[in-house]
Amino acid sequence: MFTADVAPKLKDKFDYILLQFRLPGGAWIQSRDILANPDYISRFSMNFDHNIGDSEPERKGFDRYKKTIWILDPGTQERQGLRYFRVLGIYKDRTQKPFTSTEMAFIVNSTSITLSGLTTSVIEGTHNFTIRKYDNNVKKIGVYLMGDTTDVPDYVPEYGRYIASEKEIGIINPIDGTISYNYAFDSTQYKNGKYELYAKAFDSEGKKIHETYHKEFSIKNKAAVPEFSVEPGCYNEKQVVRLSSKSPGSYFYYTTDGTTPTLSSQRYDATRGIVIDKTTTLKVFAWNIKYENSPVVEAEYIIDPTALPSGKWNFHKGGTDRLSYLSDKDLNRTNLTKLEEASKNLTIRLKRINERIKTEVAQKYLDLAGSKAPSAYNTKHKVIAALTWDDTKVQKLYNKGGMYQKYGVDQRMLLAIIYQEGTGSFNTNSEVKDKYGGNYVQPDFEKDIAAALENHGVKKLNAYKYYWKQFEDSIKSLAKTKGNANITKGKGDLYQFLNYCTLGATIENGVITKVSTMGMYAEDNDWWSKVKTIFDEIVENNGNNPSEKYSEFVKTIKTPIKAGYELPKVKFIETSNGKVWSDNNTWLSGYSLITAVLDDSPSISFPLKYQMKANNADTSNLIYQVQTLLNNNLSPDLKSMLSLEVDSHYGRRTTAVVKLYQQQNNAKEITGEVNEEMFNLLKSGSWKLTKPGEGKYVLKDTGNYSYYEWVSTDSSQWMSINKSRNDLVNKAKELLTVHNGDPLHYFWGGNFGRDGGAYSGYHKNWGKTEKVTVGGNWSTGKNVPYGRDCSGYVQWVYYQITGIDIGNTTYAQKDGIWLEEIDRSQAKPGDLVYNENFTHVGMYIGKDTDGLPMFIHAAGSAYGTPEVKSLWGDDGNSESLDKLREMDNCYVTGRVIISKFNQSLNDPQYSRIKSSAQFVINKDGKDVVVPYRDVKVIKEYNKPDRFEYHDAKTNTKYQASIKSLPMDVNNYGQNLKRYFRVKVRFSEE
């Protein structure tokens, strides 16, 4: 309540007595704006109340004006506080300047309640509002909706705004001491349209003491999608499909000819349902007067009894003819039918899996998935619900699998695999790996069953139909060993074919179009026999030993091959990639597996020469045999120096080693090629390779010209070269400016090992984006610019000047033959310096003018570069983060930098490196970095995306842009304390 007292002599001179308020920005609301708007005049014009008489002698004779104004919710708690006002007298003679009273203030720190939480102009589903109470006199809070809250006839057209009817939609009874209350507004209870939501505060007598701002928004919901009473799938008889929806009052429109339904299409009749008596694609959408139309959903029903193989194998036909997940009551019944007995066996096994899901699998999935877990499966409760088996899930498996019975797929084989996997899933999730590197559970059943059917139920099963004889013969021909005992006890049946790294047939339009190799289903080389055991327990309608009968049956129903396509030739070979689960609950490695090798490599024959390649999985190829013989005939003291990777690739190192054999064994020509005569000499052991003395072989040159040069050392194993230490340091500094004036990037695992060997000059891929494959670093698995890590950097520098490969890693360098530890006082430029635990290395390059040691090194994120982990984990705004990742320079790895001992280096030549791409705003003429979480990507038709940053503190919006800003970093060298000298005598020594 505001009052103003006016002297009687002035009363008749005023046209209006107005209240004038200062706006949040600091300006006063203008009187001309008030007078121009009748609503504003009514709101701010003070009304004559009475003449002040003897009751207030000091004001006797004055006329009093009063006005009650509700001071509405100021928006946020931070904006509460002082409010300023004054009284204006507007003269009837508008030429006179309005009378202005003294500025006055009052405090809005006791606003009864506030309403917040509306961050969008459109609401769908349930939206949460927050109501805060600041006045203990508030005993009831009512939530009100103004808009279309009444029943409106169907024929009423779209309104310009809304039907302004107020409705109380919620009541909150405040609790003393509690400030914040949540109100969940379910917009699906109301028709789409425009609304206002607000709250009112009442005291103990029911008197309204405050009303919040009205929050304006539009409701825009879609009708819930139709649901089908019959699961899509394959059936051998007609089905009646009934439709339902979670949006009451919905009508359904559908088509059965593959076209998209409209409001002109057939309307669903609930009394009849939809009769499906032939193969049909049913498409449906829901219409509801309250909402927008639902999306169109479709279901495919295959009605084709003749498509189900019969005669030699009895399939389940679906419906009641299938295995079931029995209730506890049915499990305890006696006199079960054969089908019920098989269902009992299945149910008991699935119950064991369900218990394991609760106690182990769900939590393990969350631990392995981490941030990769989708929101639908990001809690233990959600994962348990998704993985748990019941009869509905068994029915879904039958429906999905039934569509593939025409290819010979029996759903019971899938159920046997489910139990053997033991997690409730087929373990098809390539995004989530277990600790052994295998795929782990896929909580999304639709994706899980689709992958299992496609990859193994269809592809491998159909390839077996054509390759079973060759596979069977390869198993029978194996000489029994401890490693392959679990393989040789089999007969090359279907289950072994599914288990091992065999073949898959791609089917398009009912015909095989391609056969390719496929990975193993399980590393356990006895997985197949366990699946057979389970299969035998749950198949009730095919006599004894149904697993063997089923394997024989699959051979007889060949899927047609596309005209013109020839099945590739293949070999099945024994490898040692298998594992066996031990009695101690651990995996034992080194056991056999069977691997299919397509015979599609070029013909390999003598002479073997540079750049020839063969299929490495086929260990019978000539290159594989030669590389094995070259390694076997090395003297023991050369094995660590010259051993080849046996990869069936006749490359640079193989060429160079062959030349050494030819030199030492007095060959007529030093060609680097292996002819049949040399092969036989290696095979007989006549040709050997021995170490000529004290020294080391150094790989020189490239390609077919590669060779090994023997570098002799003195009795102390020191090597002399005609290069100076200054040459070494200058070579190290080259990489400070290798990328157009910028330093070489840090790349975890970047060394000669990744490059495939030592080389002279710069690597062709430096600066190009590659994936980090070595574990143990924040960048593992991420795409960053290629370069060197700390050990790979000093390795590269030394090789360029000395020809010595000192080792790929800090540990290999420390444990190798080339390093000798020295005292810090003995240090010379070019010496290597490690930290105490040998996880980082740099090169000493001398002292600065203050006498502080200086180092040059490839610094990772723990050694001087900005902390970057938050850039790679999305914790709030995927869209803006993706925009940063689109930039070519969106990374912060380390760089080659110079550091001082125990002191930060501020020389901009070395300490300023490029940071990651950042969002920046221009503030007071300067670029200011802002968090990507607070940047909104604004999309406009036919225009480039723009970026808007919202400063919540000042409620200000800025245009943002993406820049890669230089960043000062502190490069510390205090951890580099252990000095080592490489055993090389330089020209000045």
Side-chain angles (χ1 to χ4, degrees):
M1 172 75 72
F2 296 87
T3 63
D5 297 335
V6 180
K9 62 181 181 179
L10 294 176
K11 176 183 176 183
D12 294 335
K13 293 184 178 182
F14 289 122
D15 196 3
Y16 295 99
I17 307 295
L18 300 177
L19 284 175
Q20 185 184 30
F21 287 88
R22 188 190 293 276
L23 299 173
W28 291 92
I29 185 171
Q30 297 296 302
S31 58
R32 62 175 176 271
D33 294 333
I34 298 175
L35 298 175
N37 188 325
D39 289 340
Y40 276 23
I41 293 175
S42 174
R43 185 179 301 179
F44 297 112
S45 177
M46 303 185 73
N47 303 316
F48 174 73
D49 184 50
H50 68 282
N51 181 270
I52 301 174
D54 295 338
S55 61
E56 298 181 39
E58 70 280 5
R59 310 296 292 170
K60 184 177 180 180
F62 277 73
D63 290 309
R64 175 160 291 176
Y65 289 76
K66 290 184 179 180
K67 187 66 179 179
T68 299
I69 292 182
W70 291 103
I71 305 300
L72 299 180
D73 172 15
T76 64
Q77 186 174 354
E78 290 75 11
R79 289 173 56 191
Q80 296 174 35
L82 288 175
R83 294 292 183 271
Y84 298 91
F85 76 100
R86 60 192 180 189
V87 176
L88 293 183
I90 306 297
Y91 290 101
K92 292 179 180 179
D93 180 1
R94 297 300 171 88
T95 62
Q96 294 187 59
K97 185 177 181 181
F99 168 81
T100 304
S101 74
T102 303
E103 180 180 311
M104 290 164 281
F106 61 93
I107 298 176
V108 187
N109 60 359
S110 59
T111 298
S112 299
I113 58 173
T114 62
L115 175 69
S116 61
L118 186 65
T119 58
T120 176
S121 61
V122 177
I123 288 180
E124 299 178 40
T126 299
H127 189 89
N128 291 309
F129 289 89
T130 299
I131 299 173
R132 290 185 173 89
K133 175 181 73 74
Y134 302 104
D135 186 348
N136 288 332
N137 293 319
V138 175
K139 302 303 179 184
K140 171 189 169 183
I141 300 172
V143 182
Y144 295 84
L145 189 69
M146 184 178 289
D148 185 8
T149 59
T150 59
D151 294 328
V152 180
D154 293 355
Y155 60 83
V156 171
E158 183 74 21
Y159 349 94
R161 185 169 171 77
Y162 47 72
I163 297 175
S165 57
E166 179 183 82
K167 181 177 183 180
E168 186 177 71
I169 60 174
I171 295 176
I172 296 171
N173 295 310
I175 301 171
D176 288 344
T178 301
I179 295 177
S180 185
Y181 301 87
N182 181 72
Y183 180 73
F185 173 63
D186 183 4
S187 68
T188 64
Q189 301 299 311
Y190 308 96
K191 291 185 178 182
N192 289 353
K194 297 180 180 180
Y195 293 84
E196 294 180 7
L197 186 141
Y198 48 98
K200 299 178 184 180
F202 301 90
D203 62 15
S204 58
E205 297 179 355
K207 179 182 177 181
K208 184 176 77 171
I209 57 178
H210 187 69
E211 181 176 320
T212 68
Y213 281 150
H214 290 212
K215 303 293 186 181
E216 297 186 6
F217 54 85
S218 295
I219 293 177
K220 193 174 183 180
N221 286 309
K222 290 184 178 180
V225 296
E227 297 178 358
F228 304 99
S229 63
V230 179
E231 285 279 341
C234 184
Y235 298 89
N236 67 341
E237 58 187 4
K238 74 176 181 180
Q239 301 291 314
V240 178
V241 179
R242 302 194 181 278
L243 303 176
S244 60
S245 171
K246 290 185 172 65
S247 297
S250 293
Y251 295 90
F252 308 106
Y253 294 85
Y254 68 92
T255 61
T256 56
D257 59 1
T259 60
T260 300
T262 66
L263 289 173
S264 301
S265 301
Q266 182 71 33
R267 182 165 162 172
Y268 172 70
D269 183 350
T271 62
R272 295 180 62 249
I274 303 173
V275 178
I276 306 294
D277 55 7
K278 61 182 179 179
T279 297
T280 300
T281 298
L282 178 61
K283 294 187 177 183
V284 190
F285 74 89
W287 176 90
N288 193 299
I289 188 173
K290 292 170 63 175
Y291 313 127
E292 292 185 356
N293 295 342
S294 77
V296 174
V297 292
E298 64 179 75
E300 183 180 9
Y301 297 96
I302 297 175
I303 310 297
D304 188 3
T306 63
L308 305 181
S310 59
K312 296 182 180 179
W313 182 256
N314 297 315
F315 288 86
H316 282 161
K317 297 179 180 179
T320 58
D321 182 24
R322 67 169 177 88
L323 293 177
S324 302
Y325 186 96
L326 300 180
S327 66
D328 291 341
K329 179 180 178 181
D330 288 337
L331 278 176
N332 294 319
R333 283 174 45 216
T334 56
N335 301 320
L336 299 175
T337 65
K338 286 186 177 181
L339 179 58
E340 290 171 335
E341 191 66 45
S343 293
K344 179 178 180 179
N345 292 335
L346 174 69
T347 304
I348 291 171
R349 289 182 176 273
L350 291 181
K351 278 181 172 289
R352 293 173 190 161
I353 289 179
N354 288 346
E355 188 61 31
R356 188 172 173 224
I357 291 169
K358 294 177 184 177
T359 59
E360 177 187 346
V361 175
Q363 187 58 54
K364 183 177 178 181
Y365 166 80
L366 292 172
D367 293 342
L368 293 171
S371 61
K372 294 179 181 178
S375 58
Y377 312 110
N378 61 1
T379 68
K380 189 173 181 179
H381 175 77
K382 292 178 182 178
V383 178
I384 291 173
L387 292 176
T388 297
W389 281 81
D390 56 18
D391 196 53
T392 300
K393 201 167 185 178
V394 173
Q395 174 70 67
K396 286 183 178 180
L397 181 142
Y398 263 88
N399 291 336
K400 295 291 183 182
M403 302 173 69
Y404 296 90
Q405 276 191 1
K406 59 186 175 183
Y407 297 123
V409 176
D410 191 304
Q411 296 97 321
R412 291 167 290 189
M413 180 186 69
L414 300 174
L415 288 167
I417 292 174
I418 276 290
Y419 181 75
Q420 177 54 33
E421 289 300 280
T423 61
S425 164
F426 292 100
N427 294 343
T428 62
N429 196 341
S430 60
E431 294 294 316
V432 179
K433 302 288 188 178
D434 61 23
K435 66 180 181 180
Y436 303 104
N439 294 347
Y440 199 52
V441 300
Q442 172 57 270
D444 187 327
F445 180 71
E446 296 294 327
K447 291 182 179 179
D448 199 34
I449 184 67
L453 281 165
E454 177 66 17
N455 293 327
H456 294 84
V458 176
K459 284 187 174 180
K460 278 195 170 183
L461 184 143
N462 278 279
Y464 180 73
K465 298 172 183 178
Y466 287 94
Y467 290 94
W468 66 267
K469 184 66 170 66
Q470 191 176 350
F471 181 70
E472 195 175 271
D473 290 344
S474 68
I475 299 291
K476 291 178 180 178
S477 67
L478 292 176
K480 188 173 181 179
T481 65
K482 178 182 178 182
N484 66 20
N486 287 333
I487 296 177
T488 54
K489 73 179 182 182
K491 301 177 182 179
D493 58 24
L494 172 65
Y495 313 95
Q496 286 187 303
F497 198 85
L498 296 178
N499 189 168
Y500 303 144
C501 302
T502 53
L503 302 169
T506 300
I507 298 178
E508 297 177 5
N509 298 320
V511 296
I512 293 174
T513 59
K514 182 182 179 181
V515 172
S516 55
T517 56
M518 291 191 69
M520 68 186 85
Y521 198 103
E523 291 179 314
D524 181 358
N525 71 2
D526 197 32
W527 176 91
W528 61 274
S529 69
K530 300 166 189 173
V531 171
K532 283 184 67 174
T533 299
I534 302 164
F535 190 74
D536 284 336
E537 288 186 13
I538 61 176
V539 174
E540 88 295 347
N541 58 350
N542 283 280
N544 297 327
N545 300 319
S547 60
E548 293 187 11
K549 291 179 180 177
Y550 179 59
S551 183
E552 290 299 313
F553 164 72
V554 169
K555 299 175 184 177
T556 66
I557 50 167
K558 289 183 168 56
T559 303
I561 301 171
K562 183 178 180 181
Y565 178 71
E566 292 186 12
L567 293 175
K569 296 179 180 179
V570 67
K571 294 180 182 178
F572 293 100
I573 61 175
E574 183 179 7
T575 67
S576 58
N577 298 326
K579 294 180 180 178
V580 171
W581 188 249
S582 72
D583 295 335
N584 296 325
N585 292 327
T586 58
W587 285 108
L588 302 179
S589 302
Y591 286 76
S592 296
L593 276 183
I594 300 299
T595 299
V597 179
L598 292 180
D599 192 13
D600 57 356
S601 57
S603 177
I604 301 296
S605 59
F606 295 116
L608 307 180
K609 61 182 67 176
Y610 179 67
Q611 286 192 326
M612 277 187 169
K613 286 185 178 181
N615 193 322
N616 193 43
D618 180 7
T619 56
S620 65
N621 76 74
L622 288 175
I623 299 177
Y624 187 99
Q625 293 184 60
V626 164
Q627 289 176 326
T628 302
L629 291 171
L630 292 171
N631 285 344
N632 291 343
N633 291 351
L634 290 172
S635 61
D637 51 2
L638 283 178
K639 287 189 179 293
S640 62
M641 197 182 303
L642 296 178
S643 285
L644 299 167
E645 181 181 356
V646 181
D647 59 1
S648 303
H649 178 200
Y650 203 108
R652 178 181 179 226
R653 287 179 177 271
T654 301
T655 300
V657 170
V658 168
K659 289 178 181 179
L660 277 182
Y661 270 95
Q662 291 171 336
Q663 289 170 352
Q664 277 202 20
N665 292 279
N666 301 316
K668 295 178 181 178
E669 291 184 280
I670 310 301
T671 62
E673 300 176 3
V674 176
N675 55 26
E676 190 169 3
E677 179 184 4
M678 181 177 173
F679 175 76
N680 290 328
L681 290 169
L682 289 169
K683 195 172 183 180
S684 67
S686 300
W687 274 22
K688 301 283 188 182
L689 197 60
T690 59
K691 192 175 181 181
E694 292 295 333
K696 182 179 179 69
Y697 278 112
V698 177
L699 187 62
K700 296 285 188 177
D701 224 321
T702 59
N704 192 42
Y705 300 101
S706 301
Y707 65 96
Y708 275 107
E709 179 180 84
W710 178 251
V711 179
S712 298
T713 59
D714 59 24
S715 58
S716 301
Q717 295 187 329
W718 286 70
M719 185 179 77
S720 298
I721 64 170
N722 190 29
K723 296 281 187 179
S724 68
R725 286 186 173 273
N726 194 47
D727 293 331
L728 188 70
V729 171
N730 287 337
K731 180 59 67 174
K733 288 183 177 180
E734 276 186 21
L735 301 194
L736 287 168
T737 56
V738 68
H739 291 309
N740 296 321
D742 287 333
L744 181 71
H745 297 276
Y746 180 94
F747 188 94
W748 180 255
N751 52 46
F752 286 157
R754 181 183 174 104
D755 297 335
Y759 52 86
S760 298
Y762 301 158
H763 194 278
K764 63 181 181 180
N765 289 340
W766 282 357
K768 295 180 181 179
T769 300
E770 292 193 9
K771 180 176 285 189
V772 178
T773 56
V774 179
N777 187 259
W778 66 266
S779 61
T780 301
K782 297 175 176 59
N783 294 316
V784 298
Y786 190 48
R788 304 282 87 181
D789 61 15
C790 62
S791 53
Y793 168 61
V794 295
Q795 176 193 39
W796 180 87
V797 173
Y798 261 93
Y799 187 82
Q800 306 310 304
I801 298 300
T802 69
I804 294 172
D805 181 354
I806 62 173
N808 292 325
T809 67
T810 52
Y811 297 106
Q813 293 166 4
K814 173 179 73 74
D815 297 332
I817 66 170
W818 290 106
L819 267 63
E820 179 177 270
E821 189 162 12
I822 60 174
D823 186 77
R824 175 180 170 183
S825 62
Q826 299 174 300
K828 297 180 180 180
D831 288 338
L832 301 182
V833 194
Y834 296 80
N835 60 3
E836 289 290 351
N837 56 3
F838 289 91
T839 57
H840 189 60
V841 61
M843 179 183 288
Y844 173 71
I845 58 173
K847 296 181 179 180
D848 69 353
T849 55
D850 297 324
L852 289 172
M854 299 177 67
F855 312 99
I856 187 167
H857 56 138
S861 60
Y863 293 93
T865 56
E867 179 61 39
V868 296
K869 293 181 181 177
S870 63
L871 178 64
W872 299 103
D874 179 8
D875 54 357
N877 190 340
S878 297
E879 194 170 21
S880 65
L881 181 61
D882 288 341
K883 288 296 178 182
L884 291 182
R885 287 178 173 152
E886 288 175 9
M887 303 296 289
D888 290 337
N889 55 356
C890 179
Y891 39 71
V892 179
T893 57
R895 295 291 185 107
V896 172
I897 57 176
I898 291 178
S899 297
K900 289 186 181 181
F901 181 78
N902 211 25
Q903 182 175 326
S904 64
L905 181 69
N906 295 317
D907 185 345
Q909 181 181 358
Y910 302 131
S911 65
R912 291 175 72 85
I913 65 174
K914 284 187 177 179
S915 75
S916 63
Q918 301 280 357
F919 282 109
V920 299
I921 61 172
N922 189 282
K923 200 170 185 180
D924 300 327
K926 296 180 181 179
D927 283 331
V928 178
V929 176
V930 295
Y932 76 84
R933 300 171 196 83
D934 300 329
V935 175
K936 184 178 181 181
V937 180
I938 308 295
K939 297 181 180 294
E940 298 179 81
Y941 178 70
N942 212 23
K943 292 183 180 179
D945 293 346
R946 59 185 180 88
F947 311 110
E948 185 177 270
Y949 166 69
H950 178 243
D951 186 340
K953 290 184 178 179
T954 62
N955 197 27
T956 307
K957 293 181 179 179
Y958 297 87
Q959 289 297 112
S961 59
I962 295 178
K963 289 188 178 181
S964 183
L965 300 177
M967 181 179 291
D968 288 322
V969 296
N970 291 325
N971 304 312
Y972 292 101
Q974 72 267 33
N975 289 325
L976 301 177
K977 297 178 180 179
R978 299 188 64 172
Y979 286 72
F980 285 78
R981 182 158 294 158
V982 179
K983 296 178 182 178
V984 174
R985 299 194 192 283
F986 291 90
S987 57
E988 68 268 30
E989 297 171 332

